[in-house]
Amino acid sequence: MGKKNPVIVKARQEGYTEGFKIGFEQGTTSGRNTAAQILAARFSELDKVPGIGPKLHDKIVKHFGQEYFQEVPDELRKVVRDAKGS
């Protein structure tokens, strides 16, 4: 094998590094959104738990943030229920 062109090697490495960085950021964002949706599904029935009244519910919402109490799609709600059962 002959010598590799250093310009091509450098460009390839920069492209790989930039691609990895973009993919990592997208994966992190996607993971955060999924985690927020899963927690929202688990918190969606929090007001039905005995002993949790409006004041405690408001404290929990304030502590975790409103994004964890957003509307949850039905398909995600089913996934969370299935995970609890296993």
Side-chain angles (χ1 to χ4, degrees):
M1 263 182 111
K3 286 184 154 185
K4 295 184 177 182
N5 185 331
V7 174
I8 294 174
V9 171
K10 182 180 178 189
R12 180 182 178 280
Q13 185 59 41
E14 287 174 356
Y16 176 82
T17 303
E18 187 64 26
F20 180 81
K21 179 181 169 189
I22 291 169
F24 181 79
E25 288 171 357
Q26 289 175 346
T28 301
T29 302
S30 174
R32 283 186 190 136
N33 291 340
T34 303
Q37 288 180 337
I38 289 171
L39 284 174
R42 291 190 179 227
F43 285 153
S44 66
E45 298 180 7
L46 193 61
D47 53 349
K48 297 176 185 172
V49 176
I52 297 183
K55 288 182 181 180
L56 182 56
H57 189 271
D58 290 344
K59 285 182 183 180
I60 293 170
V61 170
K62 186 176 180 181
H63 176 77
F64 284 102
Q66 189 63 41
E67 66 269 11
Y68 294 114
F69 295 88
Q70 62 195 353
E71 185 61 34
V72 180
D74 288 335
E75 61 272 3
L76 184 61
R77 204 178 293 271
K78 182 183 180 312
V79 169
V80 171
R81 267 189 294 231
D82 292 345
K84 283 181 183 178
S86 57

